[in-house]
Amino acid sequence: MNNFAYFSKKQHCFCSFFSHSLGSLARFLAFHFHPFFLQFCYFMILSLVGYLGLTVSKPRTPARPNGLDLFYTSVSASTVSSMVAVEMEVFSNSQLILLTLLMFVGGEVFTSMLDLVFARYKFTQSVQNIVSTNPFSTTRKPPVNANQIELGLVSIPQSESENHKPSHSDINVSKDTLVSFNDSDRLKYTCLSYMTFVVLGYLVVVQFVGFSLVSLYITVVPSARQVLKNKGIKIATFSLFTVVSTFASCGFVPTNENMMVFKKNSGLLLLILPHIFLGNTLYPPCLTLVIMVLKKVTRREEFSHLLKNFKDIGYDHMLSALHCVLLVATVLGLNLVQFVMFCSVEWNSKIMEGLNLYQKLVASIFQVTNARHAGESVFDLSSISSAILVLFVVMMYLPPYTTFLPVRDHENDVKRNETSLVECLVFSQLSYLVIFIILICITESKSLKEDPLNFNVLNITLEVISAYGNVGFSTGYSCARQLKPDAMCKDSWVGFSGRWSAKGKFILILVMFFGRLKKFNMKGGKAWDLS
């Protein structure tokens, strides 16, 4: 009995020490490192963990993919880029589950939720520091270096509570720490908490509903069920993998052919299609709509505050009602332009063979919608005309929240005109992409000369922009297009970059990281004057 008590005491001491150490580490990282560095480390750690998991687990085929291709695939899943260097049907069920987890925790909605959790912690610590600096003061003025707390997409502006008297009630933010909040601070803290849980609920509910509907469809429809049966893929694994991938805007699908094998299953395409919008381009309007519904149902002050003072919360995925309306109009307008151009060029082409009118319409809508930015394909991109590929390149380059915004915020315009020295030295994103394309053309120069039909500048540009936009579109590689046929050449369902040299793949890995973290360089190149 005494031994048990002694062990319990030791275990409690260890847990307390671990919690204190973890809290100290989080506090050190939050206040001493730039958000770019933190998120880069986050995605790098995810990629390394995914690589180790893929390496130690057994694939479905006897031949194991090489280490570089496994790391390439892990980076592609973690950064939700879906660039394919290994046939998807090579991966076993456990490896597919691992890739699903990487896509889930690497998606923008999930990482923005982590930003909220981190920002709430930093806000609590900042208030605690202010109180501890002068605990007898009836007014709290934050120090100069704490006037703005930022982490990635989340920023907590300076508290507007300098003229408010502190409340007599407290909020217990941890077991050992009691931080005094006034009314304004309490409201801000609870709004951060509510927003975190709303995003978490949105993330779970949308994907659970999608998983259930896709599983039900495949179970009920014989043609879709037979495809998975022939490939030896479990219905639950396929449904979960595809829904998570689509919602995270990754574009991975467990089948080698991506969604091309399901292009006649219009019902399945329509079930998957909404997740492209819900997790990407239309996430802000949908999130705003959810909060409006919660406000009406619960009548909580916090939801009203979130809608009216979303800038104070600092969650960049929350937009004004006008901005949301303009974003919806822009997204639908760009999709309409793509749809009209795609149908006018490809309606009677070879890629549409075997489809009826309804299937053509659904497949076309699905294809053009995936250009921003999910990356799933129902058609072979190598058979699509060059004009449409150029259109896709433009759409993949555009950020997800690109909006026609005739009404601009004067405050943002003033900030845009304030340029620091670092911003003056930073190139624009387009400049970096040109540099990456040139570097890849250098590393693949031999293939460009000997195999120009597969290796050409348009295909390389599409691959680079696709990796930058975290889309995953690729023209692939075909042995039939070789000018000098190689008897050893074997067609495989991998992306075009899967045939690149090791140096070319490494450069594209850098592009995937650059694209996933491009929000930190959206204002790059402003100092250059081309007039």
Side-chain angles (χ1 to χ4, degrees), residues 400-418:
Y401 300 158
T402 298
T403 310
F404 174 69
L405 196 61
V407 180
R408 295 195 175 274
D409 189 349
H410 176 70
E411 180 181 351
N412 289 337
D413 287 338
V414 172
K415 291 181 179 179
R416 190 178 292 111
N417 292 330
E418 298 175 357

Side-chain angles (χ1 to χ4, degrees), residues 376-497:
E376 296 168 1
S377 296
V378 288
F379 300 118
D380 181 7
L381 294 186
S382 64
S383 301
I384 293 178
S385 66
S386 298
I388 300 301
L389 292 181
V390 172
L391 176 64
F392 284 167
V393 167
V394 175
M395 293 299 164
M396 290 187 295
Y397 175 76
L398 296 177
Y401 300 158
T402 298
T403 310
F404 174 69
L405 196 61
V407 180
R408 295 195 175 274
D409 189 349
H410 176 70
E411 180 181 351
N412 289 337
D413 287 338
V414 172
K415 291 181 179 179
R416 190 178 292 111
N417 292 330
E418 298 175 357
T419 306
S420 66
L421 176 62
V422 175
E423 292 174 340
C424 291
L425 299 177
V426 173
F427 291 144
S428 67
Q429 297 189 30
L430 188 59
S431 301
Y432 286 118
L433 291 176
V434 171
I435 293 173
F436 284 129
I437 292 172
I438 292 173
L439 290 176
I440 292 174
C441 287
I442 293 174
T443 61
E444 310 304 317
S445 58
K446 182 178 179 181
S447 298
L448 282 167
K449 294 178 181 178
E450 298 178 354
D451 192 8
L453 296 183
N454 283 304
F455 283 82
N456 55 67
V457 177
L458 176 59
N459 288 351
I460 291 176
T461 300
L462 187 140
E463 202 84 3
V464 171
I465 302 299
S466 178
Y468 161 80
N470 305 123
V471 180
F473 275 174
S474 178
T475 55
Y477 185 94
S478 175
C479 296
R481 291 198 293 266
Q482 291 181 336
L483 294 181
K484 299 178 180 179
D486 184 2
M488 301 298 293
C489 181
K490 182 180 178 181
D491 286 321
S492 58
W493 291 97
V494 297
F496 175 46
S497 56

Side-chain angles (χ1 to χ4, degrees), residues 87-316:
E87 289 186 336
M88 294 303 297
E89 292 176 23
V90 168
F91 297 114
S92 61
N93 189 71
S94 60
Q95 290 177 319
L96 291 177
I97 296 299
L98 175 60
L99 291 175
T100 303
L101 180 62
L102 291 177
M103 293 185 293
F104 182 82
V105 299
E108 182 62 31
V109 177
F110 183 86
T111 54
S112 70
M113 185 187 69
L114 295 182
D115 287 339
L116 283 169
V117 174
F118 218 165
R120 187 177 61 175
Y121 170 78
K122 292 181 69 175
F123 177 66
T124 304
Q125 292 297 317
S126 66
V127 174
Q128 179 185 6
N129 294 336
I130 295 170
V131 172
S132 62
T133 302
N134 191 359
F136 301 102
S137 176
T138 57
T139 58
R140 303 199 307 268
K141 291 186 178 182
V144 176
N145 62 349
N147 67 335
Q148 189 174 22
I149 305 169
E150 293 185 353
L151 178 67
L153 295 178
V154 180
S155 59
I156 308 301
Q158 179 177 335
S159 175
E160 298 175 357
S161 57
E162 295 179 357
N163 298 323
H164 291 267
K165 292 183 179 180
S167 174
H168 296 291
S169 59
D170 297 324
I171 294 178
N172 190 13
V173 295
S174 68
K175 188 174 181 180
D176 303 318
T177 305
L178 198 67
V179 181
S180 296
F181 285 98
N182 62 19
D183 292 338
S184 178
D185 289 337
R186 182 184 298 104
L187 180 60
K188 191 173 295 185
Y189 179 84
T190 53
C191 283
L192 275 171
S193 302
Y194 276 49
M195 177 63 80
T196 303
F197 288 113
V198 168
V199 173
L200 177 61
Y202 181 91
L203 180 71
V204 173
V205 171
V206 169
Q207 296 189 75
F208 177 76
V209 172
F211 165 74
S212 302
L213 292 176
V214 172
S215 299
L216 179 62
Y217 178 90
I218 296 176
T219 303
V220 172
V221 178
S223 60
R225 186 173 66 250
Q226 189 62 38
V227 170
L228 298 185
K229 183 178 179 181
N230 294 339
K231 293 178 175 293
I233 302 174
K234 297 180 180 180
I235 294 177
T237 301
F238 175 86
S239 302
L240 180 64
F241 187 100
T242 305
V243 169
V244 170
S245 175
T246 306
F247 183 82
S249 299
C250 183
F252 272 153
V253 177
T255 60
N256 286 340
E257 306 90 343
N258 206 274
M259 293 301 293
M260 284 183 275
V261 71
F262 295 109
K263 65 181 178 180
K264 292 186 178 181
N265 296 105
S266 300
L268 179 62
L269 300 182
L270 291 176
L271 288 176
I272 295 174
L273 186 63
H275 293 80
I276 303 173
F277 295 112
L278 294 174
N280 195 312
T281 51
L282 295 186
Y283 171 56
C286 293
L287 181 63
T288 302
L289 182 62
V290 169
I291 294 177
M292 291 174 64
V293 172
L294 290 174
K295 173 194 170 185
K296 188 173 184 180
V297 172
T298 64
R299 300 185 183 278
R300 297 285 301 184
E301 178 189 4
E302 289 81 2
F303 294 122
S304 178
H305 183 80
L306 284 173
L307 292 173
K308 295 179 181 178
N309 304 281
F310 57 91
K311 290 184 179 180
D312 293 340
I313 304 303
Y315 188 58
D316 280 359

